[in-house]
Amino acid sequence: MTRPIIVFDLDGTLVDTAPDLLDSLNHSLAASELAAVDEAGFKRFVGHGGRVMIERAHAAQQRSLDVAEHDRLLKLFLDHYTDNIPGKSRPYPGVVEAIARFENAGYLLAICTNKYEANSLALIDALGLTRHFAAIAGQDTFAFRKPDPRHLTETIARAGGDPHRALMVGDSQTDIDTAKAAGIPVVAVDFGYTDRHVREFEPSAVISHFDALTLDLAQRLIAAAAGR
């Protein structure tokens, strides 16, 4: 029988990357002479990658953005971010222990993120976590990305997992909508990057610390989904 699999979002779920993403966003905004975004405002812009963050930040300041300028600012953002990996980014409390808990129980682990694949791989490697994940899929790994459910199901396939024995863990409406569309249960962390409480998006469960991501919870959610 195929091993069960836990698929994690990255930014705001496994790793607190907000300080570095915010620095890189503000680096790009300065090139457009826009006001810097603060930490609270940042949560409104994150979740779909750097291009969307830049677009939303411009819209919030009533600034138009043509394609050429958008591309220029995205390059500034990505270059700044890439040059500073891992920067201040660190796994959330309990992440390392949760990884060990599920590995020891025979689970596969994977990452499905709207961060670019190269930056995702570089970050996970810099944090010494690469060996734990059977697949790491970014926004440009496939021809589609979250909230398209194929991003999740193809990540599972790449990891050698079974979508009928899978659980998603994320921090945003995008993650929750993706998992639901794929027919996969989803646990939402409530400490990530969203300006609305994740409970509003009706995930299968909500946790406030990775200590609460137990084997029992994962087993119950996967079994319930399989029995639908």
Side-chain angles (χ1 to χ4, degrees):
M1 182 180 290
T2 306
R3 293 160 62 188
I5 184 169
I6 309 289
V7 183
F8 298 92
D9 174 53
L10 182 49
D11 296 334
T13 299
L14 277 181
V15 181
D16 183 9
T17 55
D20 299 306
L21 291 172
L22 182 58
D23 285 350
S24 295
L25 175 61
N26 284 330
H27 175 74
S28 71
L29 294 180
S32 283
E33 299 183 348
L34 264 68
V37 173
D38 61 19
E39 186 175 350
F42 168 76
K43 290 189 175 184
R44 302 200 312 272
F45 308 137
V46 73
H48 293 273
R51 181 175 290 277
V52 176
M53 279 195 283
I54 292 167
E55 179 182 357
R56 289 178 175 177
H58 277 71
Q61 298 188 43
Q62 290 81 49
R63 283 283 296 272
S64 60
L65 188 62
D66 63 34
V67 173
E69 179 68 357
H70 204 167
D71 289 345
R72 183 181 78 87
L73 296 178
L74 179 61
K75 185 177 188 307
L76 287 174
F77 173 93
L78 292 174
D79 287 349
H80 185 273
Y81 183 78
T82 301
D83 289 345
N84 289 283
I85 288 174
K88 306 166 199 169
S89 297
R90 296 294 182 272
Y92 282 103
V95 162
V96 173
E97 293 81 2
I99 287 172
R101 182 161 61 246
F102 283 96
E103 277 190 324
N104 291 338
Y107 279 70
L108 293 166
L109 303 176
I111 292 172
C112 179
T113 174
N114 275 336
K115 193 187 207 71
Y116 283 99
E117 181 183 287
N119 284 337
S120 303
L121 293 169
L123 175 60
I124 293 300
D125 190 58
L127 295 174
L129 300 175
T130 301
R131 64 187 176 86
H132 300 291
F133 296 99
I136 299 174
Q139 69 160 267
D140 54 337
T141 301
F142 308 111
F144 35 77
R145 63 176 184 170
K146 298 184 294 186
D148 189 316
R150 293 175 296 173
H151 193 176
L152 176 54
T153 56
E154 289 300 314
T155 300
I156 291 169
R158 178 170 286 200
D162 179 351
H164 300 293
R165 304 191 72 208
L167 177 69
M168 175 78 185
V169 181
D171 72 307
S172 69
Q173 182 178 6
T174 298
D175 297 318
I176 295 165
D177 288 348
T178 301
K180 285 182 176 181
I184 292 171
V186 55
V187 172
V189 301
D190 65 4
F191 46 76
Y193 307 152
T194 176
D195 59 347
R196 295 167 59 190
H197 197 285
V198 287
R199 192 173 289 110
E200 295 182 34
F201 311 123
E202 301 183 345
S204 308
V206 177
I207 61 172
S208 299
H209 192 286
F210 269 93
D211 287 353
L213 186 65
T214 62
L215 291 170
D216 178 68
L217 175 62
Q219 291 162 356
R220 284 191 289 107
L221 292 178
I222 291 172
R228 281 201 296 261

